[in-house]
Amino acid sequence: MNQNLGKFYRICIEGNIGCGKTSLLCRLIDQFGHHNHNNNDYKKFNEIDQISFDFDSNISMIVTPEPIKLWTNIPLTMVNDENQKYENLLQKMYTNPKRWAFTFEHYCQLTRFNQMSKIFNEFEQNRKTLKKDKHFIHLMERSIYSNRFGFVENFSQSGELSPVEYRILDQYFDHLRSKPQTMVNLFVYLRTDPEVVHERIRKRSRREEDAISMEYLRKIHKLHEKLFIEKPDEIWNRINCAGKKDQSVIVIDGNHSFDIVYENFIDNIRNWLQKSQMIHTDVKQQPPPPSPQQQQQKQRH
Ligand code: TTP
Ligand code: MG
């Protein structure tokens, strides 16, 4: 493999339901992709398969939203005509998790793997024609890892997955993670209090999510904390991660207003790109803390 012919990286945006993963990616596309997106319109964003833009002169980014449109519109026959009927698997899972959690999680993993493979394979196929020293970054919403150690784990703990269903999903996960297509370089964890995401979910009122309770969000939060903050070896040895675990997670406080979260995200990404020697420009310097005189002046106003 010729090391000079472009390099492939992957960054996964992670965090509890409703923490702002989609909004963050929409804003990034807005800023760099000139795609005329309405930030709040997550539905439109989720209709798209992938969007590419240049983040820097030698860095191209490819963003893929979470494949929710596939989970909510499963065609029931192979014939694609106007009589086609669709099933909403996300809705079924929320309505009757005991019956549908296995099917849903299995399909989640399959659709995510397809997404990862598609981008990875496209890169591999074009590798020879790519400009020397160009970097390609696949930015995706979530990963097979938060599916497995967040949602699958939770459904198992709550008894909605039977032991045998859990074992099958676990083996399927091991099969997927052993493939080069599932490699991840960096996880960005939007760490957000369950109370905050609860309020955001209520406001966005996604039809299928009426049944989501605080208790459920707390459990999913705890599992994300374990995965991205505690990072025990028993989990991290099973993540197909290109770097060391200490350097592979960036934590961003997702409780702040969206503008601040986005700014922190961009600063952190630039820092990481710089550390990884993909960009050499100076990262925006933080302003120095105010002097005591400045502070006094501020208080007087
Ligand atoms: P999220 O992946 O958390 O995405 P989101 O769009 O809700 O989050 P954000 O606002 O940060 O963009 O979940 C999408 C929906 O699918 C949500 O209702 C939770 C559900 N889900 C599961 O039940 N199991 C899973 O494994 C995954 C990935 C999602
Ligand atoms: Mg989303």
Side-chain angles (χ1 to χ4, degrees), residues 155-191:
F155 280 137
S156 164
Q157 287 173 4
S158 62
E160 264 127 5
L161 283 174
S162 73
V164 73
E165 288 172 326
Y166 180 60
R167 282 298 302 138
I168 291 170
L169 287 174
D170 198 46
Q171 286 179 41
Y172 185 42
F173 167 75
D174 275 336
H175 171 67
L176 299 181
R177 77 179 169 96
S178 69
K179 300 191 173 294
Q181 286 92 333
T182 57
M183 181 277 305
V184 175
N185 296 87
L186 180 71
F187 294 94
V188 176
Y189 174 37
L190 299 186
R191 191 183 198 190

Side-chain angles (χ1 to χ4, degrees), residues 22 66 141 206:
T22 298
E66 187 159 58
E141 186 173 349
R206 195 185 272 164

Side-chain angles (χ1 to χ4, degrees), residues 18 20-23 42 45-46 66 68 141 204 206:
K21 302 177 290 292
T22 298
S23 309
Y42 72 89
F45 175 63
N46 283 320
E66 187 159 58
I68 288 199
E141 186 173 349
R204 81 176 169 198
R206 195 185 272 164

Side-chain angles (χ1 to χ4, degrees), residues 15-23 46 66 68 71 90 93-94 104-105 108 112 141-142 147 151-152 155 204 206 209 212 216:
N16 206 343
I17 303 166
C19 69
K21 302 177 290 292
T22 298
S23 309
N46 283 320
E66 187 159 58
I68 288 199
W71 309 341
L90 182 68
M93 184 273 296
Y94 275 122
F104 181 76
E105 290 306 328
C108 259
R112 236 181 251 295
E141 186 173 349
R142 283 203 184 283
N147 262 55
F151 292 94
V152 170
F155 280 137
R204 81 176 169 198
R206 195 185 272 164
E209 293 178 341
I212 294 184
Y216 182 70

Side-chain angles (χ1 to χ4, degrees), residues 5-240:
L5 296 176
K7 294 202 180 98
F8 182 81
Y9 301 82
R10 178 175 286 123
I11 301 175
C12 298
I13 314 298
E14 302 280 3
N16 206 343
I17 303 166
C19 69
K21 302 177 290 292
T22 298
S23 309
L24 198 77
L25 290 171
C26 281
R27 174 74 71 91
L28 186 77
I29 293 164
D30 252 355
Q31 187 181 346
F32 292 92
H34 315 293
H35 273 273
N36 234 357
H37 253 276
N38 174 355
N39 273 318
N40 298 319
D41 200 349
Y42 72 89
K43 278 183 191 140
K44 245 191 226 159
F45 175 63
N46 283 320
E47 294 298 313
I48 294 159
D49 290 327
Q50 63 192 71
I51 292 179
S52 312
F53 54 85
D54 288 330
F55 184 79
D56 199 272
S57 55
N58 64 331
I59 300 177
S60 286
M61 287 191 175
I62 302 159
V63 178
T64 54
E66 187 159 58
I68 288 199
K69 68 167 181 182
L70 299 179
W71 309 341
T72 51
N73 286 291
I74 301 181
L76 293 186
T77 66
M78 301 287 281
V79 191
N80 200 2
D81 62 17
E82 74 273 13
N83 298 320
Q84 181 65 273
K85 291 207 166 54
Y86 297 87
E87 286 267 24
N88 184 338
L89 187 54
L90 182 68
Q91 180 79 69
K92 280 175 168 302
M93 184 273 296
Y94 275 122
T95 311
N96 187 353
K98 194 141 190 135
R99 167 66 184 84
W100 291 104
F102 175 83
T103 316
F104 181 76
E105 290 306 328
H106 195 282
Y107 194 55
C108 259
Q109 293 295 54
L110 172 68
T111 51
R112 236 181 251 295
F113 177 71
N114 284 344
Q115 202 176 46
M116 290 172 126
S117 293
K118 182 170 182 278
I119 304 294
F120 181 88
N121 294 342
E122 272 173 19
F123 173 80
E124 282 297 314
Q125 275 158 17
N126 294 322
R127 180 187 272 280
K128 290 209 179 81
T129 61
L130 298 175
K131 229 174 99 197
K132 196 176 160 211
D133 289 338
K134 183 121 184 160
H135 304 292
F136 285 80
I137 300 181
H138 178 200
L139 260 166
M140 66 185 287
E141 186 173 349
R142 283 203 184 283
S143 59
I144 60 164
Y145 305 102
S146 50
N147 262 55
R148 166 63 189 84
F149 297 110
F151 292 94
V152 170
E153 200 60 26
N154 181 57
F155 280 137
S156 164
Q157 287 173 4
S158 62
E160 264 127 5
L161 283 174
S162 73
V164 73
E165 288 172 326
Y166 180 60
R167 282 298 302 138
I168 291 170
L169 287 174
D170 198 46
Q171 286 179 41
Y172 185 42
F173 167 75
D174 275 336
H175 171 67
L176 299 181
R177 77 179 169 96
S178 69
K179 300 191 173 294
Q181 286 92 333
T182 57
M183 181 277 305
V184 175
N185 296 87
L186 180 71
F187 294 94
V188 176
Y189 174 37
L190 299 186
R191 191 183 198 190
T192 315
D193 294 340
E195 291 75 16
V196 174
V197 293
H198 189 249
E199 182 55 20
R200 290 182 189 161
I201 292 168
R202 198 188 58 76
K203 274 197 193 141
R204 81 176 169 198
S205 57
R206 195 185 272 164
R207 181 160 60 93
E208 297 86 355
E209 293 178 341
D210 285 350
I212 294 184
S213 65
M214 264 307 293
E215 193 202 346
Y216 182 70
L217 292 171
R218 283 203 186 102
K219 285 184 186 162
I220 299 288
H221 175 71
K222 240 177 132 181
L223 289 163
H224 276 78
E225 291 284 293
K226 186 166 180 185
L227 175 56
F228 297 117
I229 304 285
E230 295 163 34
K231 297 185 267 193
D233 284 343
E234 88 240 22
I235 290 182
W236 271 76
N237 291 341
R238 299 180 71 195
I239 294 184
N240 184 354

